[in-house]
């Protein structure tokens, strides 16, 4: 039976840094990995679990979220121009490790979001708040990073037309095709005179 090992955030940072180095990352990227693990853990996100996933992929030579996230932050965090949509590599393991780097960008540029065809995958605000959308997954798939549109008022719901089409298609499964029997049995069998 597996049991939990409690560790301080700094201990996790050190362990992930050394693990990243052992998986073949250069020292600079390994230190970024440790910093990202601590950032995630401080937000109660599964830093250790995600690290094991992407470090296993790194051992096999697959590019991971640290290389991508650090490179993206270096390129755009201090750039004064518009942030052009940036594709997240498909099938990247444990894309949650991109989130700390998105926070670095957000602190300088404003809220950053990853989106896909359905809508929001995740948003990262200037204060480091992370809000996951319905498309969040343990593997990236057709994700784009861009500056986030301002949040709309909460008195109304805003859905993409493709999402509405999907939901309406499922809702139609509850309807009965019109027939003499369905018309005869429609409505209440009793009166509703309160």
């Amino acid at each position: 039976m597996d049991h939990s090992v409690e560790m301080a955030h700094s201990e996790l940072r050190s362990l992930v840094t050394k693990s990243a180095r052992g998986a073949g990352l250069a020292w600079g990227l390994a230190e970024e990995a440790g910093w990202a693990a601590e950032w995630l853990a401080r937000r109660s996100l599964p830093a250790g679990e995600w690290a094991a996933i992407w470090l296993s992929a790194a051992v096999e030579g697959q590019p991971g979220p640290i290389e991508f996230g650090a490179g993206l932050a270096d390129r755009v965090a201090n750039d004064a121009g518009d942030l052009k949509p940036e594709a997240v590599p498909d099938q990247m393991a444990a894309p949650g490790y991109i989130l700390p780097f998105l926070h670095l960008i957000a602190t300088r540029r404003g809220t950053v979001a990853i989106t896909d065809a359905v809508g929001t995958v995740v948003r990262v605000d200037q204060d480091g708040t992370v809000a996951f959308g319905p498309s969040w997954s343990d593997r990236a798939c057709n994700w784009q990073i861009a500056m986030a549109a301002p949040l709309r008022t909460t008195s109304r719901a805003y859905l993409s037309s493709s999402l509405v089409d999907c939901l309406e298609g499922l809702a139609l499964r509850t309807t009965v095709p019109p027939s003499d029997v369905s018309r005869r049995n429609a409505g209440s069998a009793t009166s509703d005179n309160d």
Side-chain angles (χ1 to χ4, degrees):
M1 177 177 208
D2 202 11
H3 65 281
S4 294
V5 176
E6 184 178 341
M7 57 176 54
H9 293 136
S10 59
E11 291 174 306
L12 176 63
R13 180 181 190 147
S14 177
L15 179 59
V16 171
T17 299
K18 289 186 269 186
S19 299
R21 188 68 187 118
L25 272 70
W27 270 113
L29 289 174
E31 288 172 355
E32 296 280 7
W35 165 79
E38 184 174 359
W39 187 97
L40 292 165
R42 289 188 181 279
R43 286 156 180 83
S44 300
L45 295 171
E49 292 87 343
W50 287 348
I53 292 168
W54 73 262
L55 287 170
S56 295
V59 166
E60 296 184 13
Q62 297 175 20
I66 297 301
E67 298 94 325
F68 176 78
L72 179 67
D74 286 347
R75 277 195 322 277
V76 303
N78 295 313
D79 186 12
D82 288 339
L83 175 62
K84 307 266 188 291
E86 177 95 20
V88 177
D90 281 346
Q91 299 305 311
M92 176 186 295
Y97 264 81
I98 297 171
L99 301 176
F101 300 100
L102 296 183
H103 180 220
L104 287 177
I105 296 167
T107 59
R108 293 170 178 85
R109 307 282 301 270
T111 301
V112 178
I114 299 177
T115 59
D116 67 5
V118 175
T120 301
V121 174
V122 66
R123 289 173 62 97
V124 181
D125 293 330
Q126 288 111 327
D127 64 359
T129 301
V130 176
F132 293 98
S135 298
W136 179 257
S137 175
D138 62 348
R139 297 262 176 197
C141 184
N142 297 318
W143 291 0
Q144 294 285 318
I145 299 172
M147 299 309 298
L151 289 176
R152 296 178 175 125
T153 177
T154 58
S155 65
R156 304 280 299 165
Y158 297 89
L159 304 175
S160 69
S161 59
S162 61
L163 184 55
V164 171
D165 290 345
C166 174
L167 294 174
E168 286 177 344
L170 291 170
L172 283 174
R173 291 181 173 187
T174 65
T175 61
V176 177
S179 70
D180 290 336
V181 173
S182 68
R183 287 186 187 94
R184 227 182 1 259
N185 294 330
S188 175
T190 62
S191 141
D192 187 20
N193 270 342
D194 289 346

